[in-house]
Amino acid sequence: VQLQASGGGLVQAGGSLRLSCAASGRTFGAYAMGWFRQGPGKGREFVAGFSWNGLTAYYADSVKGRFTISRDNANDTMYLQMSSLKFEDTALYYCAATRRADWRYKDYDYRGQGTQVTVSS
């Protein structure tokens, strides 16, 4: 399983960004796919994810109503639309996959390298 995130950058508070995650290795339909982030001096945080069959989306409370996860099964690509960005959203964002059916344990088996999102206040 290979995961490659892209789309990060520098954005002002209140702005928007869309992250993409290109997956290879037959991930869609076999793994639950999701996004994590790690901010400066912080631990890993689950952001959003799909159940293994893509029918259920999960969000961290900190991003509900601001972030939207979506996927393109035909192209094995997952997206994270981020709106109303806040300074505290600054982090390295990476996509991940788990063999579990969903994200209740907030853990993963595979992860990509990540893309940096910096929100200026």
Side-chain angles (χ1 to χ4, degrees):
V1 175
Q2 294 184 331
L3 304 167
Q4 181 63 54
S6 61
L10 175 64
V11 63
Q12 288 187 330
S16 300
L17 275 177
R18 189 176 82 153
L19 306 183
S20 300
C21 174
S24 61
R26 295 192 176 185
T27 53
F28 282 49
Y31 300 91
M33 303 293 295
W35 292 94
F36 285 75
R37 69 184 180 185
Q38 186 160 11
K42 299 181 181 179
R44 180 181 74 194
E45 179 187 12
F46 171 80
V47 177
F50 283 111
S51 58
W52 72 273
N53 57 10
L55 297 181
T56 304
Y58 305 86
Y59 294 94
D61 288 343
S62 58
V63 306
K64 278 181 182 176
R66 299 189 299 121
F67 291 11
T68 302
I69 191 172
S70 61
R71 56 196 271 162
D72 179 350
N73 292 334
N75 293 302
D76 289 341
T77 304
M78 180 176 62
Y79 303 97
L80 184 68
Q81 178 67 48
M82 307 185 294
S83 303
S84 302
L85 283 162
K86 303 176 181 180
F87 175 74
E88 50 265 40
D89 293 320
T90 295
L92 179 71
Y93 286 72
Y94 55 94
C95 45
T98 179
R99 295 186 182 92
R100 300 181 189 275
D102 53 39
W103 292 100
R104 69 184 69 188
Y105 295 104
K106 307 297 191 293
D107 201 357
Y108 53 79
D109 298 293
Y110 304 95
R111 61 158 288 182
Q113 289 189 330
T115 184
Q116 178 67 36
V117 172
T118 302
V119 183
S120 61
S121 58

mmCIF file of all heavy atoms in Angstrom, residues 92-118:
data_model
loop_
_atom_site.group_PDB
_atom_site.id
_atom_site.type_symbol
_atom_site.label_atom_id
_atom_site.label_comp_id
_atom_site.label_asym_id
_atom_site.label_seq_id
_atom_site.Cartn_x
_atom_site.Cartn_y
_atom_site.Cartn_z
ATOM 1 N N LEU A 92 1.201 18.888 9.797
ATOM 2 C CA LEU A 92 1.513 17.991 8.692
ATOM 3 C C LEU A 92 0.328 17.050 8.561
ATOM 4 O O LEU A 92 -0.022 16.354 9.516
ATOM 5 C CB LEU A 92 2.781 17.200 8.969
ATOM 6 C CG LEU A 92 3.182 16.210 7.887
ATOM 7 C CD1 LEU A 92 3.675 16.941 6.646
ATOM 8 C CD2 LEU A 92 4.249 15.239 8.396
ATOM 9 N N TYR A 93 -0.288 17.038 7.400
ATOM 10 C CA TYR A 93 -1.445 16.185 7.146
ATOM 11 C C TYR A 93 -0.999 14.992 6.300
ATOM 12 O O TYR A 93 -0.303 15.158 5.295
ATOM 13 C CB TYR A 93 -2.524 16.955 6.396
ATOM 14 C CG TYR A 93 -3.271 17.947 7.257
ATOM 15 C CD1 TYR A 93 -2.660 19.120 7.679
ATOM 16 C CD2 TYR A 93 -4.585 17.706 7.651
ATOM 17 C CE1 TYR A 93 -3.337 20.024 8.486
ATOM 18 C CE2 TYR A 93 -5.269 18.606 8.447
ATOM 19 C CZ TYR A 93 -4.638 19.764 8.861
ATOM 20 O OH TYR A 93 -5.316 20.658 9.655
ATOM 21 N N TYR A 94 -1.433 13.820 6.711
ATOM 22 C CA TYR A 94 -1.096 12.643 5.937
ATOM 23 C C TYR A 94 -2.282 11.697 5.865
ATOM 24 O O TYR A 94 -3.133 11.681 6.762
ATOM 25 C CB TYR A 94 0.145 11.951 6.483
ATOM 26 C CG TYR A 94 0.109 11.563 7.941
ATOM 27 C CD1 TYR A 94 -0.285 10.284 8.321
ATOM 28 C CD2 TYR A 94 0.503 12.462 8.926
ATOM 29 C CE1 TYR A 94 -0.288 9.910 9.656
ATOM 30 C CE2 TYR A 94 0.485 12.098 10.264
ATOM 31 C CZ TYR A 94 0.099 10.824 10.621
ATOM 32 O OH TYR A 94 0.090 10.450 11.941
ATOM 33 N N CYS A 95 -2.320 10.935 4.804
ATOM 34 C CA CYS A 95 -3.385 9.966 4.653
ATOM 35 C C CYS A 95 -2.900 8.608 5.155
ATOM 36 O O CYS A 95 -1.694 8.328 5.164
ATOM 37 C CB CYS A 95 -3.901 9.881 3.220
ATOM 38 S SG CYS A 95 -2.666 9.816 1.928
ATOM 39 N N ALA A 96 -3.853 7.806 5.553
ATOM 40 C CA ALA A 96 -3.529 6.541 6.185
ATOM 41 C C ALA A 96 -4.584 5.497 5.850
ATOM 42 O O ALA A 96 -5.688 5.832 5.417
ATOM 43 C CB ALA A 96 -3.432 6.718 7.697
ATOM 44 N N ALA A 97 -4.211 4.253 6.075
ATOM 45 C CA ALA A 97 -5.119 3.141 5.820
ATOM 46 C C ALA A 97 -5.040 2.137 6.969
ATOM 47 O O ALA A 97 -3.958 1.915 7.527
ATOM 48 C CB ALA A 97 -4.767 2.458 4.500
ATOM 49 N N THR A 98 -6.166 1.574 7.293
ATOM 50 C CA THR A 98 -6.209 0.557 8.341
ATOM 51 C C THR A 98 -6.953 -0.675 7.858
ATOM 52 O O THR A 98 -7.894 -0.560 7.061
ATOM 53 C CB THR A 98 -6.877 1.087 9.617
ATOM 54 O OG1 THR A 98 -6.918 0.051 10.604
ATOM 55 C CG2 THR A 98 -8.294 1.562 9.355
ATOM 56 N N ARG A 99 -6.553 -1.829 8.342
ATOM 57 C CA ARG A 99 -7.253 -3.070 8.005
ATOM 58 C C ARG A 99 -8.569 -3.178 8.775
ATOM 59 O O ARG A 99 -9.414 -4.019 8.452
ATOM 60 C CB ARG A 99 -6.380 -4.277 8.323
ATOM 61 C CG ARG A 99 -5.113 -4.376 7.487
ATOM 62 C CD ARG A 99 -4.385 -5.673 7.767
ATOM 63 N NE ARG A 99 -3.147 -5.783 7.020
ATOM 64 C CZ ARG A 99 -1.971 -5.394 7.480
ATOM 65 N NH1 ARG A 99 -1.879 -4.889 8.697
ATOM 66 N NH2 ARG A 99 -0.888 -5.529 6.735
ATOM 67 N N ARG A 100 -8.731 -2.383 9.800
ATOM 68 C CA ARG A 100 -9.976 -2.420 10.546
ATOM 69 C C ARG A 100 -11.125 -1.885 9.684
ATOM 70 O O ARG A 100 -10.896 -1.214 8.700
ATOM 71 C CB ARG A 100 -9.856 -1.581 11.818
ATOM 72 C CG ARG A 100 -8.769 -2.055 12.770
ATOM 73 C CD ARG A 100 -8.734 -1.185 14.006
ATOM 74 N NE ARG A 100 -7.589 -1.468 14.858
ATOM 75 C CZ ARG A 100 -7.564 -2.422 15.763
ATOM 76 N NH1 ARG A 100 -8.617 -3.190 15.949
ATOM 77 N NH2 ARG A 100 -6.479 -2.610 16.495
ATOM 78 N N ALA A 101 -12.333 -2.150 10.108
ATOM 79 C CA ALA A 101 -13.490 -1.741 9.318
ATOM 80 C C ALA A 101 -13.759 -0.244 9.419
ATOM 81 O O ALA A 101 -14.363 0.340 8.514
ATOM 82 C CB ALA A 101 -14.723 -2.512 9.769
ATOM 83 N N ASP A 102 -13.304 0.368 10.531
ATOM 84 C CA ASP A 102 -13.588 1.785 10.705
ATOM 85 C C ASP A 102 -12.483 2.412 11.541
ATOM 86 O O ASP A 102 -11.423 1.812 11.758
ATOM 87 C CB ASP A 102 -14.958 1.983 11.365
ATOM 88 C CG ASP A 102 -15.106 1.198 12.663
ATOM 89 O OD1 ASP A 102 -14.122 1.135 13.435
ATOM 90 O OD2 ASP A 102 -16.191 0.660 12.900
ATOM 91 N N TRP A 103 -12.722 3.624 12.042
ATOM 92 C CA TRP A 103 -11.680 4.398 12.723
ATOM 93 C C TRP A 103 -11.923 4.543 14.214
ATOM 94 O O TRP A 103 -11.398 5.457 14.839
ATOM 95 C CB TRP A 103 -11.563 5.770 12.072
ATOM 96 C CG TRP A 103 -11.029 5.669 10.697
ATOM 97 C CD1 TRP A 103 -11.724 5.704 9.526
ATOM 98 C CD2 TRP A 103 -9.647 5.465 10.352
ATOM 99 N NE1 TRP A 103 -10.864 5.534 8.471
ATOM 100 C CE2 TRP A 103 -9.594 5.394 8.938
ATOM 101 C CE3 TRP A 103 -8.465 5.348 11.077
ATOM 102 C CZ2 TRP A 103 -8.394 5.197 8.254
ATOM 103 C CZ3 TRP A 103 -7.271 5.161 10.402
ATOM 104 C CH2 TRP A 103 -7.247 5.088 8.998
ATOM 105 N N ARG A 104 -12.649 3.642 14.808
ATOM 106 C CA ARG A 104 -12.939 3.778 16.233
ATOM 107 C C ARG A 104 -11.686 3.714 17.092
ATOM 108 O O ARG A 104 -11.639 4.268 18.187
ATOM 109 C CB ARG A 104 -13.941 2.709 16.685
ATOM 110 C CG ARG A 104 -13.400 1.292 16.692
ATOM 111 C CD ARG A 104 -14.479 0.296 17.063
ATOM 112 N NE ARG A 104 -15.485 0.173 16.021
ATOM 113 C CZ ARG A 104 -16.603 -0.510 16.169
ATOM 114 N NH1 ARG A 104 -16.877 -1.094 17.312
ATOM 115 N NH2 ARG A 104 -17.457 -0.615 15.187
ATOM 116 N N TYR A 105 -10.642 3.032 16.629
ATOM 117 C CA TYR A 105 -9.409 2.926 17.410
ATOM 118 C C TYR A 105 -8.385 3.992 17.033
ATOM 119 O O TYR A 105 -7.309 4.065 17.627
ATOM 120 C CB TYR A 105 -8.797 1.534 17.259
ATOM 121 C CG TYR A 105 -9.677 0.453 17.841
ATOM 122 C CD1 TYR A 105 -10.432 -0.387 17.031
ATOM 123 C CD2 TYR A 105 -9.783 0.299 19.220
ATOM 124 C CE1 TYR A 105 -11.250 -1.363 17.579
ATOM 125 C CE2 TYR A 105 -10.592 -0.676 19.773
ATOM 126 C CZ TYR A 105 -11.324 -1.493 18.942
ATOM 127 O OH TYR A 105 -12.136 -2.464 19.481
ATOM 128 N N LYS A 106 -8.701 4.801 16.034
ATOM 129 C CA LYS A 106 -7.826 5.916 15.634
ATOM 130 C C LYS A 106 -6.385 5.467 15.421
ATOM 131 O O LYS A 106 -5.438 6.135 15.855
ATOM 132 C CB LYS A 106 -7.875 7.021 16.710
ATOM 133 C CG LYS A 106 -9.277 7.499 17.068
ATOM 134 C CD LYS A 106 -9.969 8.135 15.883
ATOM 135 C CE LYS A 106 -11.251 8.844 16.277
ATOM 136 N NZ LYS A 106 -12.297 7.917 16.746
ATOM 137 N N ASP A 107 -6.220 4.326 14.769
ATOM 138 C CA ASP A 107 -4.885 3.809 14.494
ATOM 139 C C ASP A 107 -4.831 3.359 13.045
ATOM 140 O O ASP A 107 -5.870 3.181 12.407
ATOM 141 C CB ASP A 107 -4.567 2.646 15.427
ATOM 142 C CG ASP A 107 -3.076 2.411 15.551
ATOM 143 O OD1 ASP A 107 -2.298 3.111 14.865
ATOM 144 O OD2 ASP A 107 -2.676 1.543 16.331
ATOM 145 N N TYR A 108 -3.645 3.162 12.509
ATOM 146 C CA TYR A 108 -3.531 2.789 11.107
ATOM 147 C C TYR A 108 -2.420 1.766 10.905
ATOM 148 O O TYR A 108 -1.561 1.573 11.759
ATOM 149 C CB TYR A 108 -3.291 4.018 10.231
ATOM 150 C CG TYR A 108 -2.126 4.893 10.672
ATOM 151 C CD1 TYR A 108 -0.813 4.550 10.384
ATOM 152 C CD2 TYR A 108 -2.366 6.078 11.360
ATOM 153 C CE1 TYR A 108 0.235 5.355 10.786
ATOM 154 C CE2 TYR A 108 -1.324 6.890 11.764
ATOM 155 C CZ TYR A 108 -0.024 6.531 11.470
ATOM 156 O OH TYR A 108 1.004 7.328 11.869
ATOM 157 N N ASP A 109 -2.449 1.141 9.752
ATOM 158 C CA ASP A 109 -1.426 0.177 9.361
ATOM 159 C C ASP A 109 -0.454 0.755 8.330
ATOM 160 O O ASP A 109 0.685 0.297 8.227
ATOM 161 C CB ASP A 109 -2.087 -1.078 8.787
ATOM 162 C CG ASP A 109 -2.971 -1.772 9.808
ATOM 163 O OD1 ASP A 109 -2.420 -2.294 10.789
ATOM 164 O OD2 ASP A 109 -4.208 -1.783 9.644
ATOM 165 N N TYR A 110 -0.906 1.703 7.574
ATOM 166 C CA TYR A 110 -0.072 2.335 6.550
ATOM 167 C C TYR A 110 -0.306 3.842 6.590
ATOM 168 O O TYR A 110 -1.406 4.291 6.876
ATOM 169 C CB TYR A 110 -0.407 1.808 5.156
ATOM 170 C CG TYR A 110 -0.319 0.323 5.007
ATOM 171 C CD1 TYR A 110 -1.455 -0.476 5.147
ATOM 172 C CD2 TYR A 110 0.892 -0.303 4.734
ATOM 173 C CE1 TYR A 110 -1.377 -1.845 5.018
ATOM 174 C CE2 TYR A 110 0.974 -1.680 4.608
ATOM 175 C CZ TYR A 110 -0.163 -2.441 4.756
ATOM 176 O OH TYR A 110 -0.088 -3.806 4.633
ATOM 177 N N ARG A 111 0.723 4.576 6.254
ATOM 178 C CA ARG A 111 0.584 6.018 6.144
ATOM 179 C C ARG A 111 1.497 6.541 5.055
ATOM 180 O O ARG A 111 2.506 5.924 4.725
ATOM 181 C CB ARG A 111 0.909 6.719 7.460
ATOM 182 C CG ARG A 111 2.329 6.490 7.954
ATOM 183 C CD ARG A 111 2.779 7.574 8.900
ATOM 184 N NE ARG A 111 3.024 8.846 8.204
ATOM 185 C CZ ARG A 111 3.462 9.937 8.793
ATOM 186 N NH1 ARG A 111 3.663 9.949 10.106
ATOM 187 N NH2 ARG A 111 3.685 11.050 8.102
ATOM 188 N N GLY A 112 1.134 7.703 4.514
ATOM 189 C CA GLY A 112 1.974 8.374 3.555
ATOM 190 C C GLY A 112 2.870 9.383 4.241
ATOM 191 O O GLY A 112 2.836 9.529 5.459
ATOM 192 N N GLN A 113 3.642 10.125 3.449
ATOM 193 C CA GLN A 113 4.612 11.053 4.018
ATOM 194 C C GLN A 113 3.989 12.354 4.493
ATOM 195 O O GLN A 113 4.517 12.991 5.386
ATOM 196 C CB GLN A 113 5.716 11.342 3.008
ATOM 197 C CG GLN A 113 6.649 10.160 2.789
ATOM 198 C CD GLN A 113 7.851 10.533 1.947
ATOM 199 O OE1 GLN A 113 7.771 11.413 1.103
ATOM 200 N NE2 GLN A 113 8.970 9.878 2.173
ATOM 201 N N GLY A 114 2.926 12.762 3.885
ATOM 202 C CA GLY A 114 2.244 13.951 4.361
ATOM 203 C C GLY A 114 2.493 15.195 3.551
ATOM 204 O O GLY A 114 3.428 15.272 2.745
ATOM 205 N N THR A 115 1.642 16.184 3.780
ATOM 206 C CA THR A 115 1.757 17.484 3.137
ATOM 207 C C THR A 115 1.507 18.543 4.211
ATOM 208 O O THR A 115 0.602 18.409 5.042
ATOM 209 C CB THR A 115 0.759 17.595 1.967
ATOM 210 O OG1 THR A 115 0.948 18.825 1.287
ATOM 211 C CG2 THR A 115 -0.684 17.491 2.426
ATOM 212 N N GLN A 116 2.325 19.590 4.185
ATOM 213 C CA GLN A 116 2.270 20.609 5.246
ATOM 214 C C GLN A 116 1.182 21.640 4.954
ATOM 215 O O GLN A 116 1.096 22.173 3.842
ATOM 216 C CB GLN A 116 3.621 21.311 5.368
ATOM 217 C CG GLN A 116 3.666 22.411 6.413
ATOM 218 C CD GLN A 116 3.524 21.885 7.833
ATOM 219 O OE1 GLN A 116 4.014 20.804 8.160
ATOM 220 N NE2 GLN A 116 2.829 22.632 8.688
ATOM 221 N N VAL A 117 0.381 21.903 5.968
ATOM 222 C CA VAL A 117 -0.613 22.968 5.915
ATOM 223 C C VAL A 117 -0.253 23.987 6.988
ATOM 224 O O VAL A 117 -0.125 23.643 8.158
ATOM 225 C CB VAL A 117 -2.033 22.420 6.159
ATOM 226 C CG1 VAL A 117 -3.033 23.570 6.290
ATOM 227 C CG2 VAL A 117 -2.440 21.479 5.031
ATOM 228 N N THR A 118 -0.080 25.229 6.559
ATOM 229 C CA THR A 118 0.244 26.302 7.490
ATOM 230 C C THR A 118 -0.813 27.389 7.373
ATOM 231 O O THR A 118 -1.041 27.913 6.282
ATOM 232 C CB THR A 118 1.629 26.884 7.209
ATOM 233 O OG1 THR A 118 2.610 25.834 7.285
ATOM 234 C CG2 THR A 118 1.976 27.973 8.219
#
